[in-house]
Amino acid sequence: MAKLVAAVLAVVLAALAAGTATGMPSEIDDGMPLIHMLRPLLHSGGHLGRRGGVPCDSWRFAVETNTLRDWETVPARCEKYVGNYMLGGRYRSDSRAVVDEAIAYAEGLKLSGEGKEVWVFDVDETTLSNLPYYAEHGFGSEPYNSTAFGAYAKEANAPALPETQRLYQRLQELGVKPVILTGRREDKRESTAKNLAAAGYTGYEKLLLKPQNVRVTSVEFKSGERKKLVDAGYVIVGNIGDQWTDLLGEPEGDRTFKLPDPMYYVG
């Protein structure tokens, strides 16, 4: 069963990036790529409102607004709701709304012409999608397993998030340089760089990973790296990530953009 899930997920994620699926209509839900075939296989369907008395849509709202903090797993009764959200058109359309606004903002920037403007990108659930992993681990309802996820990350097969890639490419056309800033440790530098390149993220200014043995919070690490960029003369015109810890802590950047991610919390 696990192999079948992985095979179907790989096909569907390829269709997500390409916008087509062999033998099936290429779009659904106002232009969303057809990825609903996974729902019956992964038991990710279900009522979008309340299940078992839990208002899962309200729970997700609290997560995305950073009202609910320090949670460890998706509530078990919300697994199907989160799966349905991530595999259906809503996740893509919510991401599109964020990126549309980011591109509109970027297109209105007045650049200095000195090549110092940069835009900071996170990796996991920002440039790269880990849905192939989380679809097999309860969409965040299972406790995080660093060993299992580390092995997955080293395979360097995560697909690109199409909306983020659209922003990335537009910024390069405009002359804004991408900087990749991730909480992944240095031991994953090679696999991360390989995965980014395979997914189409090339030409970035820097790839910044967390030192192997440093013990700091995500906010401390990422804000510290952004300060180093500013101290080096860069101007951070934008910052995008799926976690609030990607965005908080001075210097945040001239403007921040939060992508949806109800599968896990980084404190």
Side-chain angles (χ1 to χ4, degrees), residues 128 158-160 165 168-169 172 193-204:
L128 300 178
Q165 195 165 59
Y168 187 96
Q169 292 169 349
Q172 289 182 313
K194 178 181 177 181
N195 200 156
L196 287 167
Y201 295 102
T202 59
Y204 45 79

Side-chain angles (χ1 to χ4, degrees), residues 12-34:
V12 173
L13 285 168
L16 175 64
T20 59
T22 303
M24 298 186 290
S26 62
E27 294 185 334
I28 196 168
D29 288 353
D30 189 28
M32 296 301 102
L34 181 61

Side-chain angles (χ1 to χ4, degrees), residues 22-259:
T22 303
M24 298 186 290
S26 62
E27 294 185 334
I28 196 168
D29 288 353
D30 189 28
M32 296 301 102
L34 181 61
I35 54 179
H36 302 269
M37 293 296 289
L38 276 170
R39 290 181 183 171
L41 180 62
L42 298 175
H43 307 289
S44 57
H47 193 273
L48 293 179
R50 296 175 180 268
R51 291 193 58 81
V54 175
C56 295
D57 49 353
S58 297
W59 175 86
R60 184 176 68 83
F61 177 80
V63 166
E64 299 295 4
T65 56
N66 204 29
T67 303
L68 181 61
R69 304 180 185 182
D70 299 321
W71 53 278
E72 296 183 357
T73 61
V74 170
R77 286 172 289 182
C78 293
E79 176 185 349
K80 292 181 180 180
Y81 168 82
V82 173
N84 185 79
Y85 173 80
M86 295 301 296
L87 294 173
R90 285 293 306 280
Y91 174 54
R92 179 75 184 269
S93 65
D94 287 353
S95 297
R96 174 188 290 172
V98 174
V99 167
D100 282 350
E101 182 61 26
I103 290 177
Y105 160 72
E107 290 177 340
L109 291 172
K110 305 299 182 184
L111 304 185
S112 66
E114 298 176 359
K116 286 296 186 178
E117 290 86 357
V118 298
W119 193 295
V120 176
F121 288 79
D122 175 49
V123 171
D124 297 302
E125 271 55 66
T126 299
T127 52
L128 300 178
S129 171
N130 296 311
L131 265 175
Y133 174 85
Y134 282 101
E136 294 187 357
H137 293 83
F139 297 100
S141 65
E142 297 179 8
Y144 177 68
N145 185 316
S146 60
T147 301
F149 182 78
Y152 162 80
K154 287 200 171 185
E155 293 175 358
N157 292 324
L161 279 164
E163 298 303 328
T164 306
Q165 195 165 59
R166 181 164 62 92
L167 170 63
Y168 187 96
Q169 292 169 349
R170 183 62 180 133
L171 289 171
Q172 289 182 313
E173 293 170 355
L174 294 170
V176 178
K177 298 177 180 178
V179 169
I180 310 296
L181 174 56
T182 174
R184 292 186 178 193
R185 299 280 180 177
E186 278 288 346
D187 65 338
K188 296 182 180 64
R189 175 174 290 276
E190 181 179 353
S191 58
T192 301
K194 178 181 177 181
N195 200 156
L196 287 167
Y201 295 102
T202 59
Y204 45 79
E205 183 76 356
K206 294 177 181 290
L207 172 58
L208 305 171
L209 291 88
K210 187 180 288 189
Q212 198 62 31
N213 298 315
V214 169
R215 295 290 178 261
V216 294
T217 67
S218 293
V219 169
E220 290 170 338
F221 168 66
K222 292 199 168 186
S223 62
E225 292 301 307
R226 291 194 298 269
K227 186 176 186 305
K228 291 177 185 177
L229 289 171
V230 172
D231 290 345
Y234 290 103
V235 178
I236 303 174
V237 296
N239 181 9
I240 188 167
D242 67 300
Q243 299 288 321
W244 283 100
T245 50
D246 299 329
L247 311 176
L248 298 176
E250 296 183 358
E252 298 167 348
D254 291 345
R255 187 162 174 188
T256 60
F257 296 87
K258 170 69 170 65
L259 288 167

